[in-house]
Amino acid sequence: MKAKQLLVMAALFSAASVMAEATVPTFEVQQDGSFIYEMGERGHVAYADWNNDGYMDALMFRNGADPMLWKNNGDKTFTNVIEDQFDLQFAAVCGAAAMWYDYNNDGNLDLIVTGCMSQGDASTAILYAYRNEGPDADYNLAEDFELEEDVFPTYARESEDHSQIIFFPADFNNDGWTDILFCSGIAPTEETQRYMAIWVNDGNGSFIKNENSEFFATNGGGCFAADLNNDGLMDICTTGWDAEVGDTGTTTVYLNKGDMSFEAIRGFGRGSNSGIVFPIDYNNDGVMELIETGRNCNYDSWAGRALLYTQDGTGKNWTMVEEDVTGLVGRESKLSFADINNDGYTDYASSGWAGPIGIYLSNGDQTFVDATSALPDRAWCRGGDLNLVDVNNDGLMELHAYGYRDGGQNEGPTLEDGSENPEWPFVDQPTWPNYLSSVTGVAANQAPAAPTNVTATQNGNDVVLAWTAPADDTTPSAALRYNVYAKNKATGAVYCMTPADLATGFVKVNRVQALLNTTTYTFKGMNAEDYEFGVQAVDNGARGGLFAAANGGGAVESVKSETVAAYALNGVINVMNGGVEAAAYTVYAVNGAQVAAGTVAAATQVEVALNAGIYVVEVVAADGVAVVKVVL
């Protein structure tokens, strides 16, 4: 091993050895009885700002009962508006799963709901699609019969014990329209009844099934989309149960090739039934790793497990870290993740068969603090849902537990004098955990600053958006993620990678978010004169900062240079200038930090030696600008 590598490893070991253990917050149960005491048998809760008022609302489902759409009043109380405001004709579906997304770029959240009329019976699967009619119609959700009957597949999750995240909205081809990944569900029209496909948004209010990739369909799992190799393209991670390979679990990463085809990376994980695999930057280095939690389906136990998968930044080489190292406890697929204690690291909550609702706080290395004992109730919340969400925008998380209760405390914690607490909300209804518990005892999370030096450069038929990373109160700049938008100046239509308010930066959807790890993004097939572009930073507490528009939001003047270029050769960055005047170059790391700068004379080239990694090189010449991503 080289001496330099030894020094780096020693430095990392030294830093890890002095790293403080994560602070465990306290939790305070809320007392809005109308919201807390609604039964949550095997339910699902999809949080989103459905009415654009800047607060997260809650769409809530229960098996065999009418759904509820809870309007957030902004003060940790909610009002069910579904009967007064809507005529939503949901059948009383079992095992419901819901997704909020904006498919027509009108700034209003649309909705998909799936489920089965008879639990576990694929032949009774049903899908509903709704279009949000916006403020003029009081944000009415109008059923879109064409999408649900002629476009989307009949599709559902097989069991209430499986993940509700069986579809994921993301722009997989960078064209400024949100596509949908359908994954790990059952479809009665398919031979295997297992389903995985991407439905590509055609930009005209409909979708086309993508036939250009080979996916491994699994059941009993779930999916997420994230940029796993920092190339500005949304990749996919999935887990599940696969009877085609001997009833074993299968964990898979699909790396996006940029043409709606994917490279499948398998063999590094174990896969889980009733499980989920989700992206997490556990050590804030700007590279997404994975955590998988669920039930062991490899014959031997069906016990709960939780595995951390680390990688080298390419998305191809993954290393499994087991529970005896991480301190994690495996549960089912009901989870949510965010920075719970506002120390700058991503934490998560989970629930399911294998134990009570769990809280796991990242130490910033490969270990986590099990903070489950800090929760006000020890219930096993089976077949339900968990959401970490800031319901009143005060920078502190709430935990919403919802589901079927097994075990747990039936009596509340005692008062200081040893007597019972008469205000404990579970004494009268010990069977149904459905409550909000606010995080207290930690500093409130502040939104990150706006990115700086935002530029949009025409590159042939594409536009390259680039920016410099801002600062945040707790999340390091290297770990900030980014949300971008493109606004059509003629029509006013706005594509936002993850729906957000362009004026305030408020991110409108919870838990299921497509975000970037890099400080560049390529919009394909766009003209810089016809669109306005911008970017915001999002911290590990899922809080979005203000958007910054490229070049002040005006017309983009820069053009692609034909005389300069940058590329990797023999382990260094080569900057080439074929023009007749000197050019200036700047090299940025993926976190936006400037790592090198200089000039290159006319008709010459220079070499820039840096450590292995991913860089963005900007070269400014007399005839224009070149922005190039380089991998060493």
Side-chain angles (χ1 to χ4, degrees):
M1 182 178 292
K2 296 181 180 179
K4 182 178 180 180
Q5 291 176 306
L6 288 171
L7 289 173
V8 170
M9 291 183 65
L12 291 174
F13 178 81
S14 176
S17 64
V18 299
M19 187 174 295
E21 189 172 85
T23 299
V24 177
T26 55
F27 294 82
E28 179 180 296
V29 176
Q30 302 306 297
Q31 299 296 328
D32 177 13
S34 63
F35 186 64
I36 293 173
Y37 290 120
E38 288 289 345
M39 290 185 180
E41 181 182 5
R42 299 173 173 89
H44 173 44
V45 184
Y47 273 93
D49 182 13
W50 130 85
N51 60 351
N52 289 347
D53 66 352
Y55 292 101
M56 288 287 186
D57 309 300
L59 178 62
M60 190 178 297
F61 291 89
R62 300 169 291 166
N63 266 13
D66 293 332
M68 294 163 283
L69 179 56
W70 293 93
K71 178 183 177 295
N72 189 333
N73 299 320
D75 59 358
K76 297 185 181 179
T77 67
F78 294 79
T79 302
N80 184 16
V81 298
I82 202 165
E83 294 181 358
D84 299 333
Q85 194 159 351
F86 299 106
D87 185 25
L88 297 186
Q89 299 298 316
F90 292 117
V93 297
C94 300
M99 176 187 71
W100 294 98
Y101 71 126
D102 181 6
Y103 77 92
N104 54 3
N105 289 355
D106 66 352
N108 303 307
L109 292 181
D110 310 301
L111 176 66
I112 293 177
V113 176
T114 69
C116 289
M117 301 299 294
S118 177
Q119 187 67 63
D121 184 353
S123 67
T124 68
I126 190 168
L127 180 145
Y128 298 94
Y130 292 90
R131 182 183 69 258
N132 191 324
E133 295 184 312
D136 292 341
D138 205 14
Y139 298 98
N140 181 57
L141 296 169
E143 192 164 1
D144 192 325
F145 294 99
E146 181 178 353
L147 285 182
E148 66 185 34
E149 294 177 1
D150 301 329
V151 178
F152 291 140
T154 302
Y155 172 80
R157 58 187 177 125
E158 185 176 10
S159 166
E160 74 269 9
D161 296 324
H162 297 169
S163 172
Q164 297 97 340
I165 305 175
I166 58 173
F167 27 40
F168 202 104
D171 183 3
F172 290 102
N173 57 359
N174 291 28
D175 67 348
W177 296 94
T178 299
D179 313 308
I180 306 175
L181 169 67
F182 288 83
C183 173
S184 204
I186 53 175
T189 58
E190 301 295 315
E191 291 183 2
T192 63
Q193 292 194 345
R194 296 169 186 226
Y195 200 81
M196 182 172 178
I198 292 176
W199 290 84
V200 181
N201 194 325
D202 67 3
N204 294 307
S206 191
F207 295 80
I208 301 171
K209 183 180 178 182
N210 173 41
E211 302 284 2
N212 192 35
S213 57
E214 292 292 334
F215 289 131
F216 298 92
T218 59
N219 198 19
C223 58
F224 270 88
D227 185 0
L228 299 175
N229 56 357
N230 289 355
D231 64 354
L233 298 169
M234 284 294 116
D235 308 305
I236 299 166
C237 55
T238 69
T239 188
W241 175 64
D242 188 354
E244 303 300 321
V245 291
D247 293 341
T248 61
T250 303
T251 309
T252 308
V253 162
Y254 298 94
L255 297 179
N256 192 335
K257 297 180 181 179
D259 59 357
M260 290 307 298
S261 66
F262 295 80
E263 178 184 0
I265 310 298
R266 311 184 87 192
F268 63 89
R270 292 180 178 167
S272 298
N273 191 31
S274 302
I276 190 74
V277 59
F278 63 96
I280 179 173
D281 182 4
Y282 74 91
N283 59 356
N284 285 346
D285 65 351
V287 175
M288 301 305 288
E289 277 85 17
L290 302 173
I291 287 180
E292 179 180 9
T293 181
R295 301 174 68 194
N296 186 346
C297 54
N298 291 322
Y299 291 114
D300 51 355
S301 66
W302 291 93
R305 64 181 175 203
L307 302 168
L308 171 67
Y309 300 112
T310 65
Q311 63 144 325
D312 62 359
T314 67
K316 296 183 177 182
N317 302 307
W318 298 86
T319 301
M320 183 170 62
V321 185
E322 301 199 51
E323 294 94 335
D324 59 348
V325 174
T326 64
L328 299 174
V329 176
R331 285 176 175 83
E332 224 171 44
S333 57
K334 314 307 186 289
L335 65 87
S336 190
F337 48 93
D339 184 359
I340 298 173
N341 56 359
N342 291 339
D343 64 354
Y345 292 104
T346 301
D347 315 303
Y348 79 98
S350 66
S351 70
W353 283 87
I357 298 168
I359 296 288
Y360 301 96
L361 308 174
S362 174
N363 290 320
D365 50 17
Q366 294 183 1
T367 65
F368 292 76
V369 171
D370 186 341
T372 299
S373 61
L375 291 174
D377 185 66
R378 310 291 189 268
W380 291 31
C381 187
R382 287 202 293 121
D385 206 355
L386 286 178
N387 278 271
L388 289 166
V389 56
D390 184 357
V391 299
N392 62 340
N393 299 342
D394 65 351
L396 296 169
M397 286 290 166
E398 276 73 42
L399 174 68
H400 184 192
Y402 184 74
Y404 172 75
R405 179 190 180 110
D406 275 355
Q409 294 177 190
N410 291 345
E411 297 181 357
T414 58
L415 301 177
E416 291 184 1
D417 62 2
S419 62
E420 292 185 358
N421 184 352
E423 297 183 354
W424 181 246
F426 301 98
V427 174
D428 296 330
Q429 287 192 321
T431 307
W432 302 101
N434 174 28
Y435 66 97
L436 279 177
S437 183
S438 293
V439 170
T440 60
V442 296
N445 180 29
Q446 304 299 313
T452 57
N453 303 321
V454 185
T455 60
T457 305
Q458 193 73 46
N459 183 8
N461 294 324
D462 306 329
V463 173
V464 178
L465 187 68
W467 59 91
T468 299
D472 182 64
D473 58 334
T474 57
T475 303
S477 291
L480 289 172
R481 293 177 294 162
Y482 300 96
N483 191 20
V484 297
Y485 77 85
K487 181 178 181 179
N488 188 310
K489 296 177 183 178
T491 66
V494 176
Y495 162 74
C496 208
M497 177 173 282
T498 285
D501 188 312
L502 297 191
T504 66
F506 178 75
V507 179
K508 297 180 184 179
V509 293
N510 188 57
R511 183 168 58 185
V512 180
Q513 301 169 345
L515 297 169
L516 297 166
N517 301 86
T518 60
T519 54
T520 63
Y521 183 76
T522 299
F523 289 95
K524 294 185 178 180
M526 292 192 183
N527 188 309
E529 296 296 329
D530 297 333
Y531 289 83
E532 173 190 313
F533 301 91
V535 59
Q536 73 171 152
V538 181
D539 65 19
N540 284 338
R543 193 160 193 174
L546 293 176
F547 280 91
N551 298 338
V556 178
E557 302 294 341
S558 56
V559 297
K560 179 176 172 58
S561 171
E562 301 295 336
T563 62
V564 296
Y567 53 92
L569 182 66
N570 298 326
V572 298
I573 297 174
N574 285 260
V575 182
M576 184 272 293
N577 180 11
V580 296
E581 298 181 26
Y585 67 86
T586 308
V587 184
Y588 299 94
V590 292
N591 63 5
Q594 179 178 316
V595 295
T599 59
V600 52
T604 61
Q605 66 181 39
V606 298
E607 294 182 349
V608 183
L610 295 170
N611 292 329
I614 302 173
Y615 301 94
V616 176
V617 184
E618 180 183 52
V619 189
V620 181
D623 67 333
V625 179
V627 179
V628 183
K629 184 182 72 175
V630 176
V631 181
L632 292 180

